[in-house]
Amino acid sequence: MPKEIFPSSYVCDCGYVSHHFENTIKEMKRLSLKRMQRLGSDDGAHVIIFDGGEMTAMSCPQLGTLRGNHD
Ligand SMILES: [Zn+2]
């Protein structure tokens, strides 16, 4: 399952690590309290999904959509 590296990086099961600005992640989490947010990874191939104030899934070009460890 994808993992969050505090405060603003995400590790896919394929080994890819996507780094983001801390403020970007804070904003994604804040907005996701109202509705689901999708954030493209820094390589443009992955999509990180936020819902309910946290990362819930990551979409991988090799492995498909992977659920986060929150639900
Ligand atoms: Zn991946």
Side-chain angles (χ1 to χ4, degrees):
M1 60 185 73
K3 292 188 194 68
E4 181 180 72
I5 300 177
F6 185 82
S8 55
S9 296
Y10 292 89
V11 186
C12 181
D13 285 5
C14 75
Y16 182 75
V17 183
S18 187
H19 299 286
H20 300 272
F21 290 114
E22 191 171 345
N23 284 345
T24 302
I25 299 305
K26 278 185 182 162
E27 184 71 357
M28 284 289 134
K29 288 182 172 178
R30 189 180 70 77
L31 292 171
S32 76
L33 291 170
K34 294 198 170 181
R35 66 173 59 115
M36 190 178 78
Q37 303 292 317
R38 295 169 186 272
L39 175 66
S41 63
D42 52 8
D43 69 346
H46 291 74
V47 179
I48 304 160
I49 297 167
F50 297 86
D51 199 8
E54 58 196 4
M55 182 273 287
T56 59
M58 193 162 177
S59 166
C60 176
Q62 298 170 43
L63 303 175
T65 299
L66 306 161
R67 294 169 69 86
N69 55 6
H70 295 295
D71 54 356

Short mmCIF file of all heavy atoms in Angstrom, two decimals:
data_model
loop_
_atom_site.label_atom_id
_atom_site.label_comp_id
_atom_site.label_asym_id
_atom_site.label_seq_id
_atom_site.Cartn_x
_atom_site.Cartn_y
_atom_site.Cartn_z
N MET A 1 0.84 -1.19 0.00
CA MET A 1 0.00 0.00 0.00
C MET A 1 0.88 1.25 0.00
O MET A 1 1.98 1.22 0.52
CB MET A 1 -0.92 0.00 1.23
CG MET A 1 -0.17 -0.01 2.55
SD MET A 1 -1.25 -0.15 3.99
CE MET A 1 -1.72 -1.87 3.86
N PRO A 2 0.40 2.31 -0.61
CA PRO A 2 1.20 3.54 -0.63
C PRO A 2 1.37 4.12 0.78
O PRO A 2 0.49 3.96 1.62
CB PRO A 2 0.37 4.48 -1.52
CG PRO A 2 -1.00 3.91 -1.55
CD PRO A 2 -0.87 2.44 -1.31
N LYS A 3 2.48 4.75 0.98
CA LYS A 3 2.78 5.30 2.32
C LYS A 3 3.10 6.79 2.24
O LYS A 3 3.70 7.24 1.27
CB LYS A 3 4.01 4.61 2.91
CG LYS A 3 3.83 3.17 3.26
CD LYS A 3 5.07 2.69 4.03
CE LYS A 3 5.11 1.18 4.13
NZ LYS A 3 5.33 0.55 2.82
N GLU A 4 2.73 7.47 3.29
CA GLU A 4 3.07 8.89 3.40
C GLU A 4 4.38 9.02 4.18
O GLU A 4 4.54 8.40 5.23
CB GLU A 4 1.97 9.63 4.14
CG GLU A 4 2.26 11.13 4.29
CD GLU A 4 1.14 11.85 5.03
OE1 GLU A 4 1.02 11.66 6.25
OE2 GLU A 4 0.38 12.57 4.37
N ILE A 5 5.31 9.78 3.63
CA ILE A 5 6.50 10.14 4.39
C ILE A 5 6.31 11.58 4.83
O ILE A 5 6.27 12.50 4.00
CB ILE A 5 7.78 10.03 3.55
CG1 ILE A 5 7.97 8.61 3.05
CG2 ILE A 5 8.99 10.46 4.38
CD1 ILE A 5 9.19 8.46 2.15
N PHE A 6 6.11 11.77 6.12
CA PHE A 6 5.81 13.10 6.64
C PHE A 6 6.91 14.09 6.27
O PHE A 6 8.09 13.74 6.38
CB PHE A 6 5.67 13.00 8.17
CG PHE A 6 5.24 14.30 8.79
CD1 PHE A 6 3.89 14.64 8.81
CD2 PHE A 6 6.17 15.16 9.33
CE1 PHE A 6 3.49 15.84 9.37
CE2 PHE A 6 5.77 16.37 9.89
CZ PHE A 6 4.43 16.71 9.91
N PRO A 7 6.60 15.30 5.85
CA PRO A 7 5.25 15.82 5.77
C PRO A 7 4.63 15.78 4.39
O PRO A 7 3.43 15.99 4.26
CB PRO A 7 5.44 17.28 6.20
CG PRO A 7 6.79 17.62 5.63
CD PRO A 7 7.61 16.35 5.70
N SER A 8 5.40 15.51 3.33
CA SER A 8 4.83 15.80 2.01
C SER A 8 5.39 14.93 0.89
O SER A 8 5.45 15.37 -0.25
CB SER A 8 5.06 17.28 1.68
OG SER A 8 6.43 17.61 1.78
N SER A 9 5.80 13.70 1.19
CA SER A 9 6.22 12.78 0.15
C SER A 9 5.40 11.50 0.24
O SER A 9 4.94 11.13 1.32
CB SER A 9 7.71 12.44 0.28
OG SER A 9 8.49 13.60 0.10
N TYR A 10 5.24 10.83 -0.91
CA TYR A 10 4.43 9.61 -0.95
C TYR A 10 5.19 8.52 -1.68
O TYR A 10 5.77 8.76 -2.74
CB TYR A 10 3.08 9.90 -1.63
CG TYR A 10 2.26 10.81 -0.73
CD1 TYR A 10 2.36 12.18 -0.84
CD2 TYR A 10 1.46 10.27 0.26
CE1 TYR A 10 1.66 13.02 0.02
CE2 TYR A 10 0.75 11.08 1.13
CZ TYR A 10 0.87 12.46 1.01
OH TYR A 10 0.20 13.26 1.87
N VAL A 11 5.15 7.31 -1.12
CA VAL A 11 5.86 6.18 -1.69
C VAL A 11 4.85 5.20 -2.28
O VAL A 11 3.96 4.71 -1.59
CB VAL A 11 6.67 5.42 -0.61
CG1 VAL A 11 7.52 4.34 -1.26
CG2 VAL A 11 7.54 6.38 0.18
N CYS A 12 5.01 4.92 -3.58
CA CYS A 12 4.16 3.93 -4.24
C CYS A 12 4.70 2.53 -3.97
O CYS A 12 5.88 2.34 -3.68
CB CYS A 12 4.16 4.21 -5.74
SG CYS A 12 3.12 3.09 -6.68
N ASP A 13 3.83 1.52 -4.14
CA ASP A 13 4.27 0.13 -3.98
C ASP A 13 5.33 -0.27 -5.01
O ASP A 13 6.09 -1.21 -4.79
CB ASP A 13 3.08 -0.82 -4.10
CG ASP A 13 2.21 -0.79 -2.87
OD1 ASP A 13 2.48 0.03 -1.96
OD2 ASP A 13 1.24 -1.57 -2.79
N CYS A 14 5.38 0.44 -6.13
CA CYS A 14 6.39 0.12 -7.15
C CYS A 14 7.76 0.67 -6.77
O CYS A 14 8.74 0.41 -7.46
CB CYS A 14 5.96 0.67 -8.52
SG CYS A 14 6.13 2.46 -8.70
N GLY A 15 7.82 1.46 -5.69
CA GLY A 15 9.09 1.99 -5.24
C GLY A 15 9.29 3.46 -5.57
O GLY A 15 10.22 4.10 -5.09
N TYR A 16 8.41 3.99 -6.38
CA TYR A 16 8.52 5.39 -6.76
C TYR A 16 8.17 6.30 -5.58
O TYR A 16 7.21 6.04 -4.85
CB TYR A 16 7.59 5.69 -7.95
CG TYR A 16 7.74 7.12 -8.39
CD1 TYR A 16 8.85 7.52 -9.11
CD2 TYR A 16 6.79 8.06 -8.02
CE1 TYR A 16 9.02 8.84 -9.48
CE2 TYR A 16 6.95 9.38 -8.38
CZ TYR A 16 8.07 9.77 -9.11
OH TYR A 16 8.23 11.07 -9.44
N VAL A 17 8.95 7.35 -5.40
CA VAL A 17 8.66 8.33 -4.35
C VAL A 17 8.35 9.67 -5.01
O VAL A 17 9.13 10.18 -5.81
CB VAL A 17 9.86 8.50 -3.39
CG1 VAL A 17 9.50 9.46 -2.27
CG2 VAL A 17 10.30 7.16 -2.83
N SER A 18 7.19 10.21 -4.67
CA SER A 18 6.76 11.49 -5.23
C SER A 18 6.90 12.57 -4.16
O SER A 18 6.32 12.46 -3.08
CB SER A 18 5.30 11.37 -5.68
OG SER A 18 4.89 12.54 -6.35
N HIS A 19 7.68 13.60 -4.48
CA HIS A 19 7.93 14.67 -3.51
C HIS A 19 7.11 15.90 -3.86
O HIS A 19 7.02 16.27 -5.03
CB HIS A 19 9.42 15.05 -3.53
CG HIS A 19 10.32 13.92 -3.16
ND1 HIS A 19 10.45 13.46 -1.87
CD2 HIS A 19 11.10 13.12 -3.92
CE1 HIS A 19 11.32 12.46 -1.84
NE2 HIS A 19 11.71 12.22 -3.08
N HIS A 20 6.55 16.50 -2.85
CA HIS A 20 5.72 17.69 -3.06
C HIS A 20 6.06 18.75 -2.04
O HIS A 20 6.65 18.47 -1.01
CB HIS A 20 4.24 17.31 -2.94
CG HIS A 20 3.84 16.29 -3.96
ND1 HIS A 20 3.41 16.62 -5.22
CD2 HIS A 20 3.87 14.94 -3.92
CE1 HIS A 20 3.18 15.50 -5.89
NE2 HIS A 20 3.45 14.48 -5.14
N PHE A 21 5.60 19.97 -2.35
CA PHE A 21 5.74 21.04 -1.36
C PHE A 21 4.80 20.77 -0.20
O PHE A 21 3.66 20.37 -0.39
CB PHE A 21 5.42 22.39 -1.99
CG PHE A 21 6.44 22.85 -2.99
CD1 PHE A 21 6.10 22.96 -4.32
CD2 PHE A 21 7.73 23.14 -2.60
CE1 PHE A 21 7.04 23.37 -5.27
CE2 PHE A 21 8.68 23.54 -3.52
CZ PHE A 21 8.34 23.66 -4.86
N GLU A 22 5.28 21.06 0.98
CA GLU A 22 4.46 20.83 2.16
C GLU A 22 3.15 21.62 2.09
O GLU A 22 2.09 21.12 2.47
CB GLU A 22 5.27 21.24 3.41
CG GLU A 22 4.62 20.79 4.69
CD GLU A 22 5.53 21.02 5.90
OE1 GLU A 22 6.74 21.24 5.71
OE2 GLU A 22 5.02 20.97 7.02
N ASN A 23 3.22 22.84 1.56
CA ASN A 23 2.01 23.65 1.46
C ASN A 23 1.00 23.05 0.48
O ASN A 23 -0.21 23.16 0.69
CB ASN A 23 2.34 25.08 1.02
CG ASN A 23 2.94 25.89 2.15
OD1 ASN A 23 2.84 25.48 3.32
ND2 ASN A 23 3.54 27.01 1.83
N THR A 24 1.50 22.41 -0.58
CA THR A 24 0.60 21.75 -1.54
C THR A 24 -0.17 20.64 -0.85
O THR A 24 -1.39 20.51 -1.03
CB THR A 24 1.42 21.14 -2.70
OG1 THR A 24 2.17 22.18 -3.33
CG2 THR A 24 0.51 20.47 -3.71
N ILE A 25 0.52 19.84 -0.06
CA ILE A 25 -0.13 18.73 0.62
C ILE A 25 -1.12 19.22 1.67
O ILE A 25 -2.23 18.70 1.81
CB ILE A 25 0.93 17.80 1.26
CG1 ILE A 25 1.85 17.22 0.18
CG2 ILE A 25 0.26 16.69 2.07
CD1 ILE A 25 1.13 16.49 -0.94
N LYS A 26 -0.73 20.27 2.38
CA LYS A 26 -1.65 20.84 3.37
C LYS A 26 -2.94 21.29 2.70
O LYS A 26 -4.04 21.08 3.22
CB LYS A 26 -1.00 22.06 4.06
CG LYS A 26 -0.06 21.68 5.19
CD LYS A 26 0.43 22.94 5.88
CE LYS A 26 1.41 22.60 6.99
NZ LYS A 26 2.22 23.77 7.38
N GLU A 27 -2.79 21.93 1.53
CA GLU A 27 -3.97 22.41 0.82
C GLU A 27 -4.81 21.25 0.29
O GLU A 27 -6.04 21.27 0.37
CB GLU A 27 -3.52 23.32 -0.33
CG GLU A 27 -4.63 23.98 -1.09
CD GLU A 27 -5.35 25.06 -0.30
OE1 GLU A 27 -5.03 25.28 0.88
OE2 GLU A 27 -6.26 25.69 -0.88
N MET A 28 -4.17 20.21 -0.23
CA MET A 28 -4.90 19.03 -0.71
C MET A 28 -5.71 18.41 0.42
O MET A 28 -6.87 18.04 0.26
CB MET A 28 -3.92 17.98 -1.24
CG MET A 28 -3.34 18.28 -2.58
SD MET A 28 -4.58 18.09 -3.88
CE MET A 28 -4.27 19.58 -4.79
N LYS A 29 -5.08 18.27 1.57
CA LYS A 29 -5.76 17.66 2.71
C LYS A 29 -6.92 18.53 3.17
O LYS A 29 -8.00 18.02 3.49
CB LYS A 29 -4.77 17.43 3.86
CG LYS A 29 -3.79 16.30 3.56
CD LYS A 29 -2.85 16.07 4.72
CE LYS A 29 -2.01 14.81 4.47
NZ LYS A 29 -1.06 14.56 5.55
N ARG A 30 -6.71 19.84 3.16
CA ARG A 30 -7.77 20.74 3.60
C ARG A 30 -8.96 20.67 2.63
O ARG A 30 -10.10 20.52 3.05
CB ARG A 30 -7.23 22.18 3.66
CG ARG A 30 -8.17 23.18 4.31
CD ARG A 30 -7.56 24.57 4.33
NE ARG A 30 -7.47 25.17 3.02
CZ ARG A 30 -8.51 25.71 2.36
NH1 ARG A 30 -9.69 25.75 2.93
NH2 ARG A 30 -8.35 26.22 1.16
N LEU A 31 -8.67 20.75 1.33
CA LEU A 31 -9.74 20.71 0.34
C LEU A 31 -10.45 19.36 0.33
O LEU A 31 -11.65 19.28 0.03
CB LEU A 31 -9.19 21.01 -1.06
CG LEU A 31 -8.70 22.44 -1.28
CD1 LEU A 31 -7.98 22.54 -2.62
CD2 LEU A 31 -9.85 23.43 -1.23
N SER A 32 -9.72 18.30 0.64
CA SER A 32 -10.31 16.96 0.59
C SER A 32 -11.33 16.73 1.70
O SER A 32 -12.07 15.75 1.67
CB SER A 32 -9.21 15.88 0.68
OG SER A 32 -8.73 15.74 2.00
N LEU A 33 -11.38 17.63 2.66
CA LEU A 33 -12.42 17.53 3.68
C LEU A 33 -13.79 17.81 3.07
O LEU A 33 -14.82 17.36 3.56
CB LEU A 33 -12.15 18.50 4.84
CG LEU A 33 -10.93 18.14 5.70
CD1 LEU A 33 -10.60 19.29 6.64
CD2 LEU A 33 -11.18 16.86 6.49
N LYS A 34 -13.78 18.59 1.96
CA LYS A 34 -15.05 18.90 1.29
C LYS A 34 -15.33 17.95 0.14
O LYS A 34 -16.45 17.53 -0.07
CB LYS A 34 -15.02 20.34 0.77
CG LYS A 34 -14.96 21.35 1.90
CD LYS A 34 -15.37 22.73 1.43
CE LYS A 34 -15.54 23.64 2.64
NZ LYS A 34 -15.96 24.98 2.27
N ARG A 35 -14.29 17.67 -0.65
CA ARG A 35 -14.47 16.70 -1.74
C ARG A 35 -13.12 16.09 -2.10
O ARG A 35 -12.08 16.65 -1.80
CB ARG A 35 -15.12 17.34 -2.96
CG ARG A 35 -14.31 18.40 -3.66
CD ARG A 35 -14.99 18.82 -4.93
NE ARG A 35 -16.31 19.35 -4.65
CZ ARG A 35 -16.68 20.62 -4.86
NH1 ARG A 35 -15.84 21.45 -5.41
NH2 ARG A 35 -17.88 21.03 -4.57
N MET A 36 -13.19 14.95 -2.77
CA MET A 36 -11.99 14.22 -3.12
C MET A 36 -11.07 15.07 -4.01
O MET A 36 -11.55 15.76 -4.90
CB MET A 36 -12.38 12.94 -3.85
CG MET A 36 -11.22 11.99 -4.06
SD MET A 36 -11.77 10.48 -4.88
CE MET A 36 -11.87 11.09 -6.57
N GLN A 37 -9.77 14.98 -3.76
CA GLN A 37 -8.78 15.72 -4.53
C GLN A 37 -7.81 14.75 -5.19
O GLN A 37 -7.44 13.74 -4.60
CB GLN A 37 -7.99 16.66 -3.62
CG GLN A 37 -8.82 17.64 -2.84
CD GLN A 37 -9.49 18.67 -3.71
OE1 GLN A 37 -8.88 19.23 -4.63
NE2 GLN A 37 -10.77 18.92 -3.45
N ARG A 38 -7.38 15.09 -6.41
CA ARG A 38 -6.37 14.28 -7.12
C ARG A 38 -5.14 15.14 -7.34
O ARG A 38 -5.25 16.26 -7.84
CB ARG A 38 -6.91 13.83 -8.48
CG ARG A 38 -8.08 12.90 -8.38
CD ARG A 38 -8.70 12.73 -9.76
NE ARG A 38 -9.92 11.93 -9.67
CZ ARG A 38 -9.94 10.61 -9.75
NH1 ARG A 38 -8.81 9.95 -9.96
NH2 ARG A 38 -11.06 9.95 -9.64
N LEU A 39 -4.00 14.61 -7.02
CA LEU A 39 -2.75 15.34 -7.19
C LEU A 39 -1.81 14.52 -8.06
O LEU A 39 -1.50 13.37 -7.72
CB LEU A 39 -2.12 15.58 -5.81
CG LEU A 39 -0.73 16.23 -5.81
CD1 LEU A 39 -0.79 17.66 -6.34
CD2 LEU A 39 -0.15 16.22 -4.40
N GLY A 40 -1.38 15.09 -9.18
CA GLY A 40 -0.42 14.40 -10.04
C GLY A 40 0.94 14.33 -9.36
O GLY A 40 1.36 15.27 -8.69
N SER A 41 1.62 13.21 -9.53
CA SER A 41 2.95 13.06 -8.94
C SER A 41 3.95 13.92 -9.69
O SER A 41 3.65 14.43 -10.78
CB SER A 41 3.38 11.60 -8.99
OG SER A 41 3.47 11.20 -10.35
N ASP A 42 5.15 14.03 -9.15
CA ASP A 42 6.13 14.89 -9.81
C ASP A 42 6.68 14.26 -11.09
O ASP A 42 7.29 14.94 -11.90
CB ASP A 42 7.25 15.31 -8.84
CG ASP A 42 7.90 14.14 -8.12
OD1 ASP A 42 7.58 12.99 -8.47
OD2 ASP A 42 8.71 14.39 -7.22
N ASP A 43 6.44 12.97 -11.33
CA ASP A 43 6.83 12.38 -12.62
C ASP A 43 5.67 12.38 -13.61
O ASP A 43 5.82 11.97 -14.75
CB ASP A 43 7.36 10.95 -12.44
CG ASP A 43 6.29 9.96 -12.03
OD1 ASP A 43 5.19 10.40 -11.61
OD2 ASP A 43 6.54 8.75 -12.10
N GLY A 44 4.48 12.81 -13.16
CA GLY A 44 3.33 12.90 -14.03
C GLY A 44 2.66 11.58 -14.30
O GLY A 44 1.65 11.53 -15.00
N ALA A 45 3.16 10.48 -13.78
CA ALA A 45 2.61 9.15 -14.08
C ALA A 45 1.69 8.63 -12.98
O ALA A 45 0.83 7.80 -13.25
CB ALA A 45 3.75 8.16 -14.30
N HIS A 46 1.91 9.07 -11.78
CA HIS A 46 1.09 8.63 -10.66
C HIS A 46 0.08 9.70 -10.30
O HIS A 46 0.26 10.88 -10.61
CB HIS A 46 1.96 8.38 -9.43
CG HIS A 46 2.87 7.19 -9.54
ND1 HIS A 46 4.00 7.19 -10.32
CD2 HIS A 46 2.80 5.96 -8.97
CE1 HIS A 46 4.59 6.01 -10.23
NE2 HIS A 46 3.88 5.24 -9.42
N VAL A 47 -1.00 9.28 -9.64
CA VAL A 47 -1.98 10.23 -9.12
C VAL A 47 -2.22 9.88 -7.66
O VAL A 47 -2.49 8.72 -7.33
CB VAL A 47 -3.31 10.19 -9.90
CG1 VAL A 47 -4.31 11.17 -9.29
CG2 VAL A 47 -3.09 10.51 -11.37
N ILE A 48 -2.11 10.87 -6.81
CA ILE A 48 -2.33 10.67 -5.38
C ILE A 48 -3.72 11.21 -5.05
O ILE A 48 -4.06 12.33 -5.44
CB ILE A 48 -1.24 11.38 -4.55
CG1 ILE A 48 0.14 10.89 -5.00
CG2 ILE A 48 -1.44 11.12 -3.06
CD1 ILE A 48 1.25 11.83 -4.62
N ILE A 49 -4.50 10.40 -4.35
CA ILE A 49 -5.89 10.76 -4.07
C ILE A 49 -6.06 11.04 -2.58
O ILE A 49 -5.64 10.25 -1.73
CB ILE A 49 -6.83 9.64 -4.54
CG1 ILE A 49 -6.70 9.49 -6.07
CG2 ILE A 49 -8.27 9.94 -4.14
CD1 ILE A 49 -7.31 8.26 -6.63
N PHE A 50 -6.68 12.18 -2.30
CA PHE A 50 -6.94 12.60 -0.93
C PHE A 50 -8.44 12.66 -0.72
O PHE A 50 -9.17 13.15 -1.56
CB PHE A 50 -6.35 13.99 -0.66
CG PHE A 50 -4.86 14.05 -0.78
CD1 PHE A 50 -4.26 14.25 -2.02
CD2 PHE A 50 -4.05 13.90 0.32
CE1 PHE A 50 -2.88 14.31 -2.14
CE2 PHE A 50 -2.67 13.96 0.22
CZ PHE A 50 -2.08 14.16 -1.02
N ASP A 51 -8.87 12.18 0.43
CA ASP A 51 -10.29 12.26 0.76
C ASP A 51 -10.40 12.29 2.29
O ASP A 51 -9.64 11.62 2.99
CB ASP A 51 -11.02 11.04 0.19
CG ASP A 51 -12.52 11.28 0.09
OD1 ASP A 51 -12.97 12.42 0.32
OD2 ASP A 51 -13.25 10.33 -0.22
N GLY A 52 -11.31 13.11 2.77
CA GLY A 52 -11.53 13.17 4.21
C GLY A 52 -10.34 13.68 4.99
O GLY A 52 -10.17 13.35 6.17
N GLY A 53 -9.48 14.47 4.34
CA GLY A 53 -8.36 15.07 5.04
C GLY A 53 -7.08 14.26 5.03
O GLY A 53 -6.11 14.64 5.69
N GLU A 54 -7.05 13.16 4.26
CA GLU A 54 -5.82 12.38 4.20
C GLU A 54 -5.70 11.64 2.88
O GLU A 54 -6.66 11.53 2.13
CB GLU A 54 -5.75 11.39 5.36
CG GLU A 54 -6.91 10.44 5.39
CD GLU A 54 -7.03 9.75 6.73
OE1 GLU A 54 -6.27 10.06 7.65
OE2 GLU A 54 -7.91 8.88 6.85
N MET A 55 -4.50 11.13 2.62
CA MET A 55 -4.27 10.34 1.42
C MET A 55 -5.02 9.02 1.56
O MET A 55 -4.86 8.33 2.56
CB MET A 55 -2.77 10.09 1.25
CG MET A 55 -2.40 9.32 0.01
SD MET A 55 -2.45 7.52 0.20
CE MET A 55 -0.99 7.27 1.20
N THR A 56 -5.83 8.68 0.56
CA THR A 56 -6.58 7.43 0.65
C THR A 56 -6.16 6.42 -0.42
O THR A 56 -6.42 5.23 -0.27
CB THR A 56 -8.09 7.67 0.51
OG1 THR A 56 -8.33 8.30 -0.73
CG2 THR A 56 -8.61 8.52 1.64
N ALA A 57 -5.53 6.89 -1.49
CA ALA A 57 -5.15 5.97 -2.55
C ALA A 57 -4.11 6.61 -3.45
O ALA A 57 -3.93 7.83 -3.46
CB ALA A 57 -6.36 5.56 -3.38
N MET A 58 -3.43 5.75 -4.22
CA MET A 58 -2.44 6.23 -5.19
C MET A 58 -2.61 5.39 -6.45
O MET A 58 -2.71 4.17 -6.38
CB MET A 58 -1.04 6.06 -4.59
CG MET A 58 0.07 6.78 -5.32
SD MET A 58 1.50 6.92 -4.21
CE MET A 58 2.68 7.70 -5.29
N SER A 59 -2.66 6.08 -7.56
CA SER A 59 -2.81 5.39 -8.84
C SER A 59 -1.43 5.25 -9.49
O SER A 59 -0.72 6.23 -9.64
CB SER A 59 -3.76 6.21 -9.71
OG SER A 59 -3.69 5.78 -11.03
N CYS A 60 -1.09 4.01 -9.84
CA CYS A 60 0.24 3.71 -10.38
C CYS A 60 0.12 3.23 -11.82
O CYS A 60 -0.75 2.43 -12.12
CB CYS A 60 0.88 2.62 -9.52
SG CYS A 60 2.49 2.06 -10.12
N PRO A 61 0.99 3.69 -12.72
CA PRO A 61 0.92 3.25 -14.11
C PRO A 61 1.22 1.76 -14.26
O PRO A 61 0.80 1.14 -15.24
CB PRO A 61 1.97 4.11 -14.81
CG PRO A 61 2.90 4.55 -13.74
CD PRO A 61 2.07 4.66 -12.50
N GLN A 62 1.94 1.17 -13.32
CA GLN A 62 2.29 -0.25 -13.41
C GLN A 62 1.34 -1.14 -12.62
O GLN A 62 1.06 -2.27 -13.01
CB GLN A 62 3.70 -0.48 -12.88
CG GLN A 62 4.79 0.24 -13.64
CD GLN A 62 6.12 0.17 -12.91
OE1 GLN A 62 6.47 -0.89 -12.41
NE2 GLN A 62 6.82 1.27 -12.82
N LEU A 63 0.89 -0.63 -11.49
CA LEU A 63 0.15 -1.50 -10.55
C LEU A 63 -1.34 -1.17 -10.42
O LEU A 63 -2.06 -1.88 -9.73
CB LEU A 63 0.80 -1.40 -9.15
CG LEU A 63 2.29 -1.75 -9.09
CD1 LEU A 63 2.84 -1.48 -7.70
CD2 LEU A 63 2.52 -3.20 -9.47
N GLY A 64 -1.77 -0.09 -11.07
CA GLY A 64 -3.18 0.28 -10.95
C GLY A 64 -3.42 1.10 -9.71
O GLY A 64 -2.51 1.69 -9.16
N THR A 65 -4.67 1.13 -9.27
CA THR A 65 -5.01 1.96 -8.12
C THR A 65 -4.80 1.19 -6.83
O THR A 65 -5.32 0.08 -6.66
CB THR A 65 -6.47 2.44 -8.20
OG1 THR A 65 -6.61 3.22 -9.38
CG2 THR A 65 -6.83 3.30 -7.00
N LEU A 66 -4.00 1.77 -5.94
CA LEU A 66 -3.65 1.14 -4.68
C LEU A 66 -4.30 1.92 -3.55
O LEU A 66 -4.22 3.14 -3.49
CB LEU A 66 -2.14 1.16 -4.50
CG LEU A 66 -1.36 0.54 -5.66
CD1 LEU A 66 0.09 1.02 -5.61
CD2 LEU A 66 -1.44 -0.96 -5.60
N ARG A 67 -4.91 1.21 -2.65
CA ARG A 67 -5.55 1.88 -1.52
C ARG A 67 -4.52 2.24 -0.46
O ARG A 67 -3.55 1.51 -0.25
CB ARG A 67 -6.62 1.00 -0.91
CG ARG A 67 -7.80 0.76 -1.86
CD ARG A 67 -8.71 -0.30 -1.33
NE ARG A 67 -9.42 0.14 -0.15
CZ ARG A 67 -10.57 0.82 -0.16
NH1 ARG A 67 -11.12 1.13 -1.30
NH2 ARG A 67 -11.16 1.15 0.96
N GLY A 68 -4.77 3.37 0.20
CA GLY A 68 -3.92 3.78 1.30
C GLY A 68 -4.19 2.94 2.52
O GLY A 68 -5.01 2.02 2.50
N ASN A 69 -3.49 3.25 3.60
CA ASN A 69 -3.60 2.41 4.78
C ASN A 69 -4.61 2.92 5.80
O ASN A 69 -4.58 2.54 6.95
CB ASN A 69 -2.22 2.24 5.44
CG ASN A 69 -1.58 3.57 5.75
OD1 ASN A 69 -2.21 4.60 5.58
ND2 ASN A 69 -0.35 3.54 6.19
N HIS A 70 -5.50 3.82 5.35
CA HIS A 70 -6.43 4.40 6.31
C HIS A 70 -7.78 3.70 6.32
O HIS A 70 -8.54 3.84 7.26
CB HIS A 70 -6.64 5.88 6.02
CG HIS A 70 -5.38 6.66 6.24
ND1 HIS A 70 -4.79 6.80 7.46
CD2 HIS A 70 -4.59 7.31 5.37
CE1 HIS A 70 -3.69 7.52 7.33
NE2 HIS A 70 -3.53 7.83 6.08
N ASP A 71 -8.12 2.99 5.25
CA ASP A 71 -9.44 2.33 5.28
C ASP A 71 -9.37 1.00 4.53
O ASP A 71 -8.87 0.81 3.53
CB ASP A 71 -10.52 3.23 4.69
CG ASP A 71 -10.19 3.72 3.29
OD1 ASP A 71 -9.07 3.41 2.83
OD2 ASP A 71 -11.02 4.39 2.68
ZN ZN B 1 3.89 3.19 -8.74
#
